[in-house]
Amino acid sequence: MNMKLLAIAISLGLTVPTITLANTNSLSIEQRLALLEQRTLAAEKRAELAEQKAAHLENVLKNNATISQPANDQQIVTKKTPEAPNLIETNSQYGTLKLYGDVEFNTDIASKKGQLTSINTQAGKDKDFGDYDKWGINGRILIGLDGERVLDNKNYAGFSVQPLAKIDGDVSLDDAEFHFGKKESWQIKLGRYEAYDMFPLNQDTFVEYSGNTANDTYSDGFGYIYMMKEGRGRTNSGGSMMFNTKYDNWYFETNLLIEDGTSIFSNSEYHGRKLINKKNVVYVRPVIAWEKDSFKIAAALESNIVNNAYGYEDKNTGQFKDQSKRNGYGLTLGWNNLKNDPTNGLTINWNTAYLDASHETDFTTGANILWRRLQLGYIYAHNDIKSYALNYDNNIDNEVIFGPGKYDIHTLYTSYELPDILDMNNFKIYIGAYYSVIDGKDIEVKNSDKDRYGTRVRFKYLF
């Protein structure tokens, strides 16, 4: 109310000089009264506009939006919208700065921690497969900071950094990238990030121990699920550079990943041999995608183009054996009409991937469907290991060669979303579960190593 009175007083004050000026002129009484009436109406109009502005300002203050003006004329606005969590934007001559993040904590009840065993656990090759249940709480808090400047001609540049604070006390990094280009036309990106997802699991809650996804770690001697992720990015031993462009319904992308190639193998072991790293690998990963309305299709390949990057030394000949050949191919199809029908809409993905590597081929396919916040998914993987060396650490003249042969991995997973916890649209709970089993064709697998299973409750809070 005080703001309203102040606005009216200011408006009336502006009319006083005008009225005084009118009294100094040699006008008739009728003319002076008419002029005074006009000035009074104008003052009332300005007072009405000032009152509306004051009421609007009061509403902004009630909604906890703060506006300040720093010394460098930089305006900081904290916005609150019903569609998204709070977002802080800083506008200056260098563009916008956004602060955001999310909390993700899990409570797990799962079987043994190791992946599915794909080799005989015979004398001389026994391993610690983690023969105990994995029950526990894990998770992390992500804080994201994005900056971007866009010119009138649509030229732009920006960055993104996303540190992670984990519940076990470790601090790591999700994304740390710099990008530039022309909006809705082309972009170049450098740093740490993930390129196009060629094997989307959709509402991925708990599929952790069904196998290795290769951008984490390939554990030698375990079942392997190849998902076109070896050249996708977010490596801990290198960086990436990507070029992408759009034309009509088409999207094109080429990602280059440069890293220590042995980093994807646990303890630098592959097929029973200790690897020797000679030079970094360079993965080339082109993607072409077409999307219209609710349908999309994408095809891609990834390949290391550096020969003799890593391998092992043959004990018999002393020669270096290259093991760095890795060529992958992928195809994914999807349907998503949730934007048009949030209640009864469907999200469907079908993915397939094939890897041709040194002494190994892997084929993976899978599908998932999400309807009314309930997801069901299935993944099938077929591994064909051509050779495997045992007793490579023993001082023997002839290295024992063991071919584990072929085996299949079947994985079922599901998840369900509980939205709007405590009436907050940025607080959700996911309930997930999975079951994965290995089927050896011509190898013997211990019963205790044939399957993995678990359930998870995930608390997800966006801010």
Side-chain angles (χ1 to χ4, degrees):
M1 188 62 184
N2 291 334
M3 288 186 176
K4 296 178 181 179
L5 293 176
L6 179 60
I8 295 172
I10 292 173
S11 299
L12 290 176
L14 293 174
T15 64
V16 173
T18 305
I19 297 173
T20 303
L21 179 61
N23 290 335
T24 62
N25 295 332
S26 57
L27 299 175
S28 65
I29 295 176
E30 291 80 3
Q31 290 174 332
R32 292 178 180 177
L33 291 175
L35 185 59
L36 180 60
E37 184 178 1
Q38 293 176 3
R39 296 294 187 265
T40 303
L41 292 175
E44 291 178 353
K45 185 65 176 178
R46 286 193 291 271
E48 181 180 352
L49 292 175
E51 184 178 352
Q52 292 176 357
K53 292 180 180 180
H56 175 71
L57 183 58
E58 287 181 344
N59 289 333
V60 172
L61 294 175
K62 288 180 181 179
N63 288 330
N64 295 325
T66 62
I67 301 178
S68 61
Q69 192 71 24
N72 60 355
D73 294 332
Q74 178 177 288
Q75 188 184 52
I76 301 176
V77 182
T78 302
K79 299 191 299 186
K80 191 175 184 180
T81 63
E83 295 83 8
N86 291 341
L87 185 66
I88 298 177
E89 294 186 358
T90 302
N91 299 306
S92 70
Q93 68 270 30
Y94 297 120
T96 62
L97 191 64
K98 299 181 180 180
L99 179 66
Y100 59 93
D102 68 78
V103 178
E104 188 174 282
F105 283 94
N106 309 311
T107 59
D108 297 347
I109 300 177
S111 61
K112 293 189 298 185
K113 68 175 183 178
Q115 277 77 30
L116 298 170
T117 306
S118 63
I119 64 171
N120 288 331
T121 54
Q122 53 185 280
K125 199 58 181 178
D126 289 334
K127 292 191 176 186
D128 178 15
F129 297 135
D131 291 330
Y132 57 87
D133 293 343
K134 182 187 177 184
W135 295 23
I137 299 176
N138 58 83
R140 86 293 185 279
I141 297 177
L142 178 147
I143 299 177
L145 184 66
D146 294 354
E148 189 172 84
R149 184 185 183 189
V150 184
L151 302 182
D152 293 338
N153 61 3
K154 295 187 178 181
N155 291 343
Y156 76 106
F159 71 91
S160 179
V161 59
Q162 298 176 339
L164 294 171
K166 299 183 179 180
I167 195 173
D168 59 5
D170 289 342
V171 177
S172 61
L173 200 61
D174 224 9
D175 285 356
E177 54 89 1
F178 173 69
H179 58 266
F180 60 91
K182 183 178 285 290
K183 282 288 184 182
E184 301 175 358
S185 180
W186 61 272
Q187 181 192 75
I188 291 178
K189 183 183 292 187
L190 303 96
R192 176 185 169 88
Y193 56 85
E194 282 189 320
Y196 196 95
D197 190 358
M198 286 299 300
F199 212 103
L201 298 180
N202 208 10
Q203 191 170 277
D204 177 12
T205 301
F206 201 21
V207 203
E208 185 174 356
Y209 295 115
S210 56
N212 301 301
T213 56
N215 63 339
D216 293 324
T217 300
Y218 182 117
S219 295
D220 200 22
F222 292 101
Y224 182 52
I225 296 181
Y226 177 68
M227 295 182 177
M228 276 292 294
K229 294 183 178 181
E230 293 191 7
R232 191 183 176 198
R234 280 189 184 166
T235 176
N236 293 326
S237 62
S240 301
M241 179 174 65
M242 177 174 60
F243 171 80
N244 63 63
T245 183
K246 295 180 180 179
Y247 178 75
D248 198 15
N249 296 322
W250 293 93
Y251 172 78
F252 304 91
E253 169 187 298
T254 298
N255 191 59
L256 296 177
L257 173 64
I258 303 175
E259 66 172 348
D260 177 355
T262 63
S263 64
I264 68 171
F265 306 106
S266 178
N267 299 319
S268 296
E269 291 183 13
Y270 182 53
H271 290 165
R273 305 177 179 94
K274 195 74 172 179
L275 295 176
I276 303 171
N277 183 54
K278 287 194 170 184
K279 46 192 171 183
N280 283 344
V281 299
V282 178
Y283 278 98
V284 179
R285 191 178 189 267
V287 178
I288 179 173
W290 184 84
E291 184 173 355
K292 186 175 182 181
D293 298 329
S294 301
F295 177 76
K296 72 172 182 179
I297 181 172
L301 65 89
E302 59 183 12
S303 176
N304 168 39
I305 60 175
V306 178
N307 292 328
N308 297 311
Y310 57 83
Y312 69 96
E313 185 177 291
D314 190 297
K315 293 182 178 180
N316 297 320
T317 64
Q319 294 181 343
F320 179 80
K321 299 292 185 179
D322 183 20
Q323 296 286 284
S324 59
K325 171 192 172 184
R326 299 188 78 80
N327 301 316
Y329 312 88
L331 178 69
T332 179
L333 287 81
W335 174 271
N336 186 345
N337 65 344
L338 288 178
K339 291 183 179 179
N340 300 328
D341 189 356
T343 302
N344 294 305
L346 286 173
T347 299
I348 303 174
N349 290 298
W350 175 74
N351 316 305
T352 186
Y354 178 78
L355 174 67
D356 181 13
S358 299
H359 305 299
E360 176 182 0
T361 58
D362 303 298
F363 172 76
T364 309
T365 188
N368 54 72
I369 180 171
L370 174 67
W371 180 67
R372 290 197 171 188
R373 302 188 178 90
L374 174 65
Q375 170 165 279
L376 296 175
Y378 169 73
I379 302 172
Y380 165 78
H382 175 75
N383 298 163
D384 185 1
I385 310 300
K386 305 297 191 300
S387 69
Y388 200 100
L390 295 182
N391 300 322
Y392 60 92
D393 284 332
N394 295 342
N395 295 321
I396 56 177
D397 295 332
N398 297 318
E399 189 177 54
V400 178
I401 302 299
F402 171 65
K406 303 175 182 179
Y407 54 90
D408 298 332
I409 302 174
H410 304 272
T411 303
L412 289 171
Y413 63 97
T414 183
S415 66
Y416 184 75
E417 175 192 327
L418 300 173
D420 302 335
I421 305 300
L422 300 176
D423 296 326
M424 300 180 187
N425 61 356
N426 61 318
F427 184 16
K428 303 176 181 180
I429 292 178
Y430 294 91
I431 302 174
Y434 77 95
Y435 176 74
S436 190
V437 62
I438 190 170
D439 179 19
K441 297 299 182 183
D442 49 5
I443 63 173
E444 178 185 354
V445 180
K446 294 172 61 176
N447 290 332
S448 60
D449 292 321
K450 283 186 175 181
D451 60 1
R452 298 286 184 271
Y453 48 87
T455 61
R456 165 176 288 174
V457 177
R458 168 172 290 174
F459 301 87
K460 188 81 169 181
Y461 178 81
L462 306 173
F463 61 88

